[in-house]
Amino acid sequence: MTNFSRQFALKGFAASFLCLILCGCGSDPAKEYAKGVRAFENGDYGFAVEKFRGVVGHSPENVDALVMLARSEFAVGAFDKAEEALAKASATNPDDIDIIELCAQIAFYRKDYKGATGYYARLASGDGFDGETRARGWTGLG
């Protein structure tokens, strides 16, 4: 009987481990983030969306993952989902340059020129922004 219980325990452990691997519950968010960045850089935006959604699922407060998710969603044309990710990211970082600029780009592509002008003007006139950022704001206004 003892042999049976050890064998059962070993099989149970193996089944649990396999389940964790197949379900993705044991995935490392940092590795998944890196895979998402590589996919984004290689133009595989759909895969990047998948990876960044997984990272945000594990770490909903990860602003970098939220911004990259928004960029990826924007790249595939999912503007509503991109705005949703940006809203979560801007809750803690409302003055983040990347967030403001991506909001401006989304507004522009939606033909919300008044909204886009507001975001680009914010970049152009930001007191704490460097010259390059302000130039991007002015370029967007143009």
Side-chain angles (χ1 to χ4, degrees):
M1 192 78 143
T2 306
N3 288 340
F4 175 75
S5 62
R6 285 185 190 156
Q7 185 180 16
F8 180 74
L10 182 59
K11 286 182 181 178
F13 174 75
S16 298
F17 183 71
L18 183 62
C19 181
L20 282 174
I21 291 172
L22 292 176
C23 294
C25 299
S27 63
D28 179 11
K31 288 181 182 177
E32 296 300 301
Y33 180 84
K35 288 178 186 177
V37 169
R38 279 193 301 276
F40 185 85
E41 290 171 348
N42 292 327
D44 189 356
Y45 303 118
F47 186 71
V49 166
E50 179 184 321
K51 290 298 158 189
F52 292 127
R53 281 186 188 160
V55 174
V56 169
H58 285 294
S59 306
E61 72 288 344
N62 186 333
V63 175
D64 293 330
L66 285 166
V67 171
M68 287 304 295
L69 174 60
R71 285 181 175 162
S72 302
E73 296 281 15
F74 175 75
V76 297
F79 299 142
D80 289 337
K81 291 180 181 180
E83 284 181 328
E84 182 180 315
L86 286 174
K88 291 176 184 175
S90 68
T92 57
N93 295 341
D95 295 326
D96 185 88
I97 296 164
D98 294 327
I99 293 172
I100 297 168
E101 187 169 23
L102 192 51
C103 285
Q105 291 171 352
I106 291 171
F108 180 81
Y109 276 90
R110 287 189 167 203
K111 299 185 186 323
D112 175 12
Y113 301 123
K114 184 177 179 181
T117 299
Y119 286 118
Y120 281 123
R122 189 170 166 200
L123 287 175
S125 64
D127 291 331
F129 297 148
D130 62 2
E132 181 182 336
T133 300
R134 295 181 71 180
R136 289 193 332 234
W138 285 110
T139 301
L141 285 171

